[in-house]
Amino acid sequence: MAAWSHHYKGPQKNMVKVPSANAMQVGNIFIETRNALPDEQLHAHIIENKKLIKQWIKKCAPTEEEIIVVSAGPMLVPDDLHVHVKEGLKIVAVKHAVEKLNEAGIRPWAVILLDPRPHVYDFVKNPDKDCIWFVASQVDPKVTKQLLDSGCHVIGYHALVGANEDHLFDDQYGAVISGGTATATRGLFLLNHLGFKNVHLYGYDMCFGQKPDFNQKDDKGQPKYVEFAIDCKKRGMKYNRVFWSEPQFVAQIGEIKDIIKTNMFNLKASGWGYRDWE
């Protein structure tokens, strides 16, 4: 795998050309994040959403309650979550996981939105009015308005993204959530703000179960997939295990690694990759 990787999310997201103080390092890979939209457009979103959203997230006391967080990794098996539904545990989903959960007859307690791009509107054309929608103030206001017009319970939060937006939060600093470039990781910091410490992760694979087509390119003409090997031990044997992934997942690996170091959560993870490492 190349020592330098470019990851874009939207027009300009996560581009790396040279080492930077802001770059994240995962092994020999450096990934520097940049926002999907220009600063001024994000500011406009924030200003409009502050007018639309009436309820904002507040820091809560710690709780021992276990919560299930579902990302949209390729090896997510929604049927695995039925046991938690029977236990009455809260299930929180990122937007890409909602359809898979619904197909399995599972309705999440909450959905977290972070992405400011207009395509997010496609995920809320027929929103579930019985779940909570945690909406970042940088989200396209059309998305927020659709949720509100549909009668959904919307709770806003401010996601620090380094867009010189801090001054817009001066009157709502208690609703600011920092950390994590993707919804799957930013959402963990949001749940920490709500007091959750015991977190069970599903769909956080960060890799693919089968080797992808390495001839494919992303919309910037870069290699879409990456391959890397990790030394590991299993049953007394040492060997290299090969993983196939995308730059966006590699960035999240670094963020998860940092979250684990903080000991802010008692984390459990379920999925093929997790079981294979046991």
Side-chain angles (χ1 to χ4, degrees):
M1 183 175 180
W4 298 94
S5 183
H6 300 249
H7 165 52
Y8 298 85
K9 185 176 182 181
Q12 305 174 20
K13 183 68 174 177
N14 293 346
M15 181 171 66
V16 177
K17 292 185 178 179
V18 296
S20 162
N22 296 322
M24 174 185 298
Q25 181 174 0
V26 183
N28 293 323
I29 307 159
F30 293 80
I31 298 178
E32 183 178 6
T33 61
R34 293 189 180 181
N35 292 317
L37 299 177
D39 288 3
E40 57 271 19
Q41 192 169 350
L42 292 177
H43 292 183
H45 284 187
I46 293 167
I47 292 170
E48 183 62 23
N49 276 316
K50 288 182 68 174
K51 298 175 184 176
L52 292 171
I53 300 173
K54 304 305 179 185
Q55 184 178 0
W56 295 85
I57 197 170
K58 295 181 180 179
K59 190 170 181 61
C60 301
T63 175
E64 293 301 314
E65 179 181 358
E66 183 177 9
I67 195 164
I68 310 300
V69 187
V70 185
S71 188
M75 288 174 277
L76 171 65
V77 180
D79 284 338
D80 289 347
L81 278 78
H82 282 295
V83 62
H84 301 304
V85 173
K86 292 179 180 178
E87 293 170 341
L89 299 184
K90 293 181 174 69
I91 295 177
V92 177
V94 305
K95 65 179 187 293
H96 280 93
V98 173
E99 183 177 355
K100 293 182 179 180
L101 292 176
N102 289 341
E103 289 174 352
I106 297 172
R107 302 175 73 178
W109 170 70
V111 178
I112 301 175
L113 300 181
L114 173 66
D115 196 325
R117 294 174 292 170
H119 78 275
V120 178
Y121 182 83
D122 294 334
F123 291 88
V124 299
K125 287 181 177 178
N126 297 293
D128 185 349
K129 294 186 289 186
D130 293 327
C131 79
I132 299 171
W133 292 82
F134 290 105
V135 178
S137 56
Q138 70 188 51
V139 165
D140 192 312
K142 292 181 181 179
V143 172
T144 308
K145 192 172 187 305
Q146 172 65 11
L147 291 171
L148 293 171
D149 289 347
S150 298
C152 295
H153 183 186
V154 174
I155 299 178
Y157 70 99
H158 297 301
L160 283 176
V161 295
N164 299 308
E165 76 278 37
D166 304 48
H167 65 285
L168 298 174
F169 306 150
D170 287 344
D171 58 337
Q172 292 178 319
Y173 192 74
V176 174
I177 307 295
S178 60
T181 59
T183 314
T185 46
R186 181 78 60 148
L188 295 181
F189 288 95
L190 183 147
L191 292 173
N192 178 68
H193 200 74
L194 293 174
F196 291 101
K197 307 296 180 183
N198 299 309
V199 179
H200 194 155
L201 307 178
Y202 282 85
Y204 277 70
D205 324 298
M206 311 302 178
C207 61
F208 302 103
Q210 295 182 341
K211 187 174 182 179
D213 179 3
F214 280 91
N215 292 318
Q216 291 191 36
K217 307 291 184 182
D218 64 15
D219 59 358
K220 297 295 180 180
Q222 300 179 131
K224 185 175 181 179
Y225 301 107
V226 294
E227 178 180 282
F228 56 96
I230 297 178
D231 289 334
C232 61
K233 293 181 179 180
K234 187 175 181 181
R235 299 189 180 99
M237 299 177 63
K238 183 176 181 181
Y239 67 104
N240 286 341
R241 180 175 174 186
V242 176
F243 291 88
W244 305 295
S245 189
E246 294 183 11
Q248 62 172 324
F249 293 147
V250 176
Q252 292 177 48
I253 289 170
E255 293 169 356
I256 292 291
K257 181 179 178 180
D258 290 340
I259 288 172
I260 291 173
K261 286 180 179 179
T262 66
N263 292 316
M264 70 171 63
F265 295 111
N266 297 316
L267 285 178
K268 292 190 293 184
S270 292
W272 175 84
Y274 172 76
R275 289 194 294 266
D276 192 59
W277 276 87
E278 287 186 317

